Amino acid sequence: MSDQIRWRPETLAVRGGYEGDSLTRSISVPIYQTVGYQFADTGHAARLFNLEEPGNIYTRIMNPTTDVLEKRISLLEGGLGAVAFSSGMAAITGAILNLARSGDEIVASTSLYGGTWTLFTSTLQDYGITVRLLSDDDLAQGDQAFNDKTRAVFIESIGNPRLNISDLKAWADLAHRNGVPLIVDNTFSTPYLERPIDHGADIVVHSLTKWIGGHGNALGGIVVDAGRFNYNTDRFGYYTKPDSSYHGLVFANLGEAAFITRLRVKILRDTGAALSPTNAFHILQGLETLPIRIRQQSETALLLAERLSQHPAVSWVNYPGLPDDPAYRNAHRYLSDGLYGAMLNFGVKGGHAQALKVMDRLNLWLIVANVGDVRSMAIHPASTTHQQLSPEEQELAGAAGDLIRLSVGLEHPEDLWEDLRQALES
Ligand SMILES: Cc1ncc(COP(=O)(O)O)c(C=O)c1O
């Protein structure tokens, strides 16, 4: 496995983390659709439960199919290890619960996916975890958001829905000089476009439901740990003090493996948001083609963004690959290979009502509340995902009434353009 660290993403996507099944010699990763594993004897069982010996105990905390997915994504992200979850939201919740308790605080970017936003500003608050929001523009004064209760910083590499590209190095410096790890949601970039750990992130989370699975048929999430952050400090007392649920185990004594071990054997064990082995298989199969999908989808998205910017019925286009886009500079600092991702936003002249008319005239583009599929999808956030917000709040959240959001799939670019053009012109 150590050789695989040197493999390029294309090789890792199809081969990483799997050296064949010794029993069957299956070249496709087998689906181990089992809950339990037979222990050799009672001594073996006791040693596994006491973490004295590695091995499978119960599928809520580990499974051989899921294990390949965890190793493969960890290799792609340049991490020490990973733990898969049943959805992206479960992965984000797990990462936060592994760092913060009631009375603690988190600092997060204002540019967040709506589900993360409500988790942070509502549900976590209900359980006593306060989230302080900080915009990209306020980074220079960011230190003011920290105190001795702060436990982590959370951002998205490419923000959903604004498509801003976070200055990872600046956020990592801010987190580290205030003694806490940086968590990056890398769902919109995928490890093919951007590896946050290379720029100072400590923890990476993904919704595997989107581009990594890529086919809109399986929910999943994952947390990858770089294994670099030192939890052996007073701020992380629950890592340095004996844990009563493990006969007094001190997680900080596990060194670089402290965070990822605690995440699996305590947080995943106790919250139970495990990925199903069959979903792990579907996601692994999708992952095999991630590099070629991202390449094609990014190329199509750039072409559509350029054409939309020239169209008289369009008032503005937001795509990180357009030279006048605010994200263009950071795109060149952080995204690889001149690819800018599969998401783009545009505004329809005539506002909310006209945007709805354009949506209803689309034929090939599917109206769907999901992104990252091989099928192209459009949504009007102001009347769907963001309909509970006032017009002012919609504007702030990057979901104004004239905005249509596109997730570009793998159909022929000209077919996609013709459908957009007829919807704008008819
Ligand atoms: C950036 C981002 N993170 C996390 C999630 C949550 O993922 P899931 O739907 O798998 O829970 C989403 C969902 O759209 C997302 O866009």
Side-chain angles (χ1 to χ4, degrees):
M1 198 77 87
S2 55
D3 287 355
Q4 300 191 359
I5 290 172
R6 289 196 296 275
W7 285 353
R8 291 164 183 79
E10 289 78 358
T11 311
L12 286 174
V14 287
R15 305 288 291 276
Y18 184 59
E19 286 169 349
D21 183 64
S22 54
L23 197 65
T24 62
R25 306 183 71 82
S26 164
I27 60 163
S28 176
V29 178
I31 306 176
Y32 287 95
Q33 193 66 39
T34 182
V35 172
Y37 307 85
Q38 192 182 356
F39 304 118
D41 51 38
T42 53
H44 178 223
R47 286 194 301 282
L48 294 189
F49 269 81
N50 211 21
L51 305 183
E52 286 166 23
E53 192 181 313
N56 293 315
I57 298 176
Y58 191 65
T59 283
R60 175 152 33 84
I61 45 176
M62 74 275 280
N63 172 277
T65 311
T66 307
D67 179 61
V68 177
L69 177 65
E70 290 170 341
K71 290 198 169 100
R72 194 167 290 181
I73 303 266
S74 180
L75 284 160
L76 278 161
E77 286 288 4
L80 173 80
V83 175
F85 285 83
S86 54
S87 70
M89 288 316 301
I92 293 170
T93 307
I96 299 290
L97 295 186
N98 204 26
L99 293 170
R101 296 193 294 194
S102 174
D104 291 344
E105 296 187 6
I106 300 290
V107 172
S109 160
T110 46
S111 180
L112 293 175
Y113 161 61
T116 310
W117 179 272
T118 49
L119 170 70
F120 284 6
T121 58
S122 175
T123 304
L124 288 186
Q125 308 276 7
D126 292 346
Y127 290 88
I129 298 171
T130 301
V131 179
R132 292 179 185 269
L133 297 166
L134 194 65
S135 83
D136 276 344
D137 302 334
D138 294 335
L139 265 188
Q141 296 85 46
D143 295 284
Q144 293 165 10
F146 291 78
N147 57 47
D148 59 3
K149 294 183 198 151
T150 315
R151 298 290 177 264
V153 174
F154 186 100
I155 63 170
E156 293 178 358
S157 51
I158 299 184
N160 173 10
R162 286 184 175 282
L163 306 184
N164 58 299
I165 296 191
S166 298
D167 185 344
L168 291 185
K169 197 176 167 320
W171 282 98
D173 288 348
L174 178 70
H176 295 157
R177 64 172 184 268
N178 286 284
V180 299
L182 174 67
I183 309 173
V184 178
D185 181 336
N186 201 30
T187 302
F188 269 42
S189 300
T190 82
Y192 190 61
L193 286 185
E194 185 171 5
R195 297 209 320 172
I197 289 173
D198 292 347
H199 304 287
D202 303 286
I203 297 152
V204 173
V205 297
H206 279 284
S207 166
L208 299 171
T209 319
K210 314 299 172 190
W211 289 272
I212 289 184
H215 294 73
N217 55 11
L219 275 166
I222 202 158
V223 179
V224 183
D225 180 28
R228 276 195 309 235
F229 192 84
N230 175 19
Y231 293 97
N232 206 351
T233 66
D234 290 345
R235 190 184 289 268
F236 294 95
Y238 37 95
Y239 279 78
T240 58
K241 294 197 181 79
D243 190 306
S244 57
S245 71
Y246 262 108
H247 326 300
L249 175 70
V250 176
F251 281 100
N253 289 348
L254 302 176
E256 59 177 15
F259 174 91
I260 204 72
T261 307
R262 190 175 186 274
L263 182 64
R264 185 185 301 284
V265 303
K266 188 173 169 76
I267 304 296
L268 184 58
R269 177 195 68 177
D270 294 352
T271 60
L275 183 67
S276 88
T278 301
N279 274 6
F281 173 81
H282 285 304
I283 293 164
L284 273 168
Q285 201 154 49
L287 175 55
E288 290 175 0
T289 56
L290 177 77
I292 52 174
R293 279 187 287 112
I294 294 292
R295 258 183 191 286
Q296 182 58 54
Q297 291 176 346
S298 297
E299 280 170 22
T300 307
L302 179 60
L303 179 108
L304 297 177
E306 284 166 351
R307 291 202 185 159
L308 283 168
S309 341
Q310 306 296 321
H311 198 282
V314 170
S315 42
W316 54 268
V317 178
N318 166 205
Y319 184 65
L322 296 178
D324 57 356
D325 192 275
Y328 190 72
R329 198 173 141 263
N330 277 348
H332 281 260
R333 276 183 78 188
Y334 292 111
L335 303 188
S336 57
D337 257 359
L339 301 173
Y340 307 97
M343 295 298 298
L344 76 94
N345 299 325
F346 69 98
V348 179
K349 280 190 188 153
H352 191 115
Q354 197 56 32
L356 288 178
K357 283 191 190 146
V358 171
M359 289 286 296
D360 283 330
R361 289 188 206 119
L362 291 170
N363 297 314
L364 185 58
W365 292 82
L366 303 167
I367 304 181
V368 179
N370 190 21
V371 295
D373 200 299
V374 288
R375 287 152 284 247
S376 291
M377 296 165 168
I379 196 137
H380 179 246
S383 62
T384 55
T385 51
H386 293 67
Q387 66 165 237
Q388 313 299 344
L389 279 64
S390 68
E392 296 73 40
E393 287 171 330
Q394 288 175 346
E395 189 87 40
L396 267 179
D402 63 341
L403 181 149
I404 292 179
R405 190 177 79 166
L406 302 178
S407 170
V408 176
L410 287 179
E411 300 89 343
H412 195 284
E414 295 302 337
D415 291 337
L416 291 172
W417 172 243
E418 275 166 28
D419 194 41
L420 276 177
R421 194 167 54 79
Q422 68 74 27
L424 287 163
E425 290 171 12
S426 50

